[in-house]
Amino acid sequence: MLFPLLTPGFVADRPDVPAFVTVGDESFSQADIVGAATSASERLGGLSRVAVEAVPSMQTVVAVVAALLAGVTVVPVAPDSGDAERRHVLDDSGAQAWLGATPTDPCDRPHLPVRLYARSWHRHPQPPADTVAMIMYTSGTTGAPKGVVSTHGSLAAGIDALADAWAWTADDTLVHGLPLFHVHGLILGLLGPLRVGSRLHHTVRPRPEAYAAAAQGEHPGTMYFGVPTVWSRIVAEPEHARSLSGARLLISGSAPLPPTVFDAVAELTEHEPVERYGMTETLITLSARADGPRRAGWVGSPVAGVRTRLRDESGDELPHDGDAVGELLVQGPMLGAGYLNRPEATAASWLPDGWFATGDAALIEPGGMHRIVGRLSTDLIKSGGYRVGAGEVEASLLEHPTVAEVAVVGPADDDLGQRIVAYVVVRPDAATDAAAAEGLIEHVATALSVHKRPREVHFVDELPRNAMGKVVKKALLETSD
């Protein structure tokens, strides 16, 4: 057995600290959360899996803790999920009931409300480390969403590794407004503070003014979470960005942070952002450290307990020389236990020797710093006999003063195999004519090498993104065909 996710004494140190968790305008102490969650957990007898419509509310906080205390598996469901996706998640997971907020569509499941002001102090036996804690569903970009099985032990290991990397302690106050149905907002952003014992201020939505207000409160934020879109919006309002200068760490994840945004955050807040890398299947395996270097476009080194390696298409190991690009494999105690009901998909990613095949292309420097080039399926472009990382071309284009956002894809090409195509959002008043496109192509050819230049540049008003701010490159590839 490893260590329990929520220890029996996780309220023992400061049970009556007010505003231990704040969601919007509602605050609960540690004792409030445990008392309400324990009361709710007593109604879960006979259930093994419950769905939680993860609206940003205290009900969601209490519902998640209640299920974990009782050893019942939590199935987080996005509040805005469509009818087909919702039914797939419920049917595939085997969720027997809803717990917490009233669901938008119960899909024939009973609803168990959470009584926020009920209290019980009964102690449940701690679930063993191999007990399934969460079934979280992937975004479904390559088919129906797959349920990732995570245990109490794997979640605890993941949080503890980040507490080490970020020097995260009970003295911190974490501020974010991220959704509570993904790893970033739910595991790191809710279970993290509960396990570490730090305060949590969830702003409901990650607006710049809300983050700035949290910096001025009675318990100012010391750590802030955001996806790149959040940080981009914050630096667009310099007065709000400067208010975060009193924080200890500004952390970005879920998608690559553009170098221009990295630099703007550093200039306005005097903090270089901490970038990290992970997946629903693995939690966070790479991160810059609180006491280590941070570089735009690089996601740091392995966190405690993690090993990494690169392999080529033949399965042979590649050197960590900062140049070789291959598929990133990771190994560590925070990895999930597989995909629910998907033995073939599980076998394809969870390898027999304990490694997980991420499907991401990366390079690793001799000192251990990692750079993610992108998905092998869309971001490793084989053009004219060369292997080109879309991320490297994107980073180069983002260095051009006219470029605000960019996505690079590699549609099929009869001559080259794949051709490099860039979709560019320019800054206000920048030119979008043929000469501007040629200027961007020449910029990459000069900064990198000629074979890495885009063969086409398309100017667009915006890039297609999912709920977490990730660019949906599949949609761009369909446009390019």
Side-chain angles (χ1 to χ4, degrees), residues 17 45 54 86 108 116 171 213 226 281 334 378 392 395 415 454-455 471:
V17 170
R86 176 177 294 245
D108 305 319
L116 287 179
D171 294 328
E281 293 89 337
M334 63 285 295
T378 57
E392 185 179 17
D415 179 40
R455 299 299 178 125
V471 176

Side-chain angles (χ1 to χ4, degrees), residues 455-476:
R455 299 299 178 125
E456 301 171 18
V457 170
H458 299 289
F459 295 107
V460 294
D461 293 332
E462 61 181 6
L463 299 174
R465 296 181 182 273
N466 64 16
M468 291 303 292
K470 294 182 179 180
V471 176
V472 183
K473 291 196 173 182
K474 183 180 179 181
L476 295 176

Side-chain angles (χ1 to χ4, degrees), residues 274-420:
V274 167
E275 296 188 68
R276 84 301 181 283
Y277 165 83
M279 305 174 67
T280 306
E281 293 89 337
T282 66
L283 302 186
I284 307 305
T285 51
L286 303 169
S287 180
R289 295 183 60 86
D291 58 357
R294 304 165 204 173
R295 292 160 55 191
W298 296 78
V299 292
S301 53
V303 299
V306 170
R307 298 170 60 205
T308 63
R309 62 187 179 93
L310 299 175
R311 69 175 180 181
D312 64 16
E313 294 166 328
S314 301
D316 295 329
E317 190 153 351
L318 293 171
H320 297 185
D321 59 6
D323 186 52
V325 176
E327 182 179 14
L328 177 66
L329 305 186
V330 298
Q331 188 182 78
M334 63 285 295
L335 267 61
Y339 294 120
L340 183 69
N341 304 325
R342 303 287 187 93
E344 292 183 1
T346 297
S349 295
W350 277 265
L351 306 181
D353 55 2
W355 292 90
F356 178 85
T358 67
D360 283 327
L363 55 85
I364 306 174
E365 288 192 329
M369 287 287 280
H370 289 58
R371 182 170 188 156
I372 306 300
V373 175
R375 295 297 292 171
L376 283 172
S377 58
T378 57
D379 293 319
L380 186 59
I381 302 171
K382 300 169 188 175
S383 183
Y386 295 97
R387 294 158 60 92
V388 180
E392 185 179 17
V393 181
E394 289 165 351
S396 178
L397 285 167
L398 284 167
E399 292 172 354
H400 194 279
T402 66
V403 176
E405 297 180 86
V406 63
V408 170
V409 296
D413 186 272
D414 291 340
D415 179 40
L416 298 169
Q418 289 178 280
R419 68 185 184 279
I420 301 171

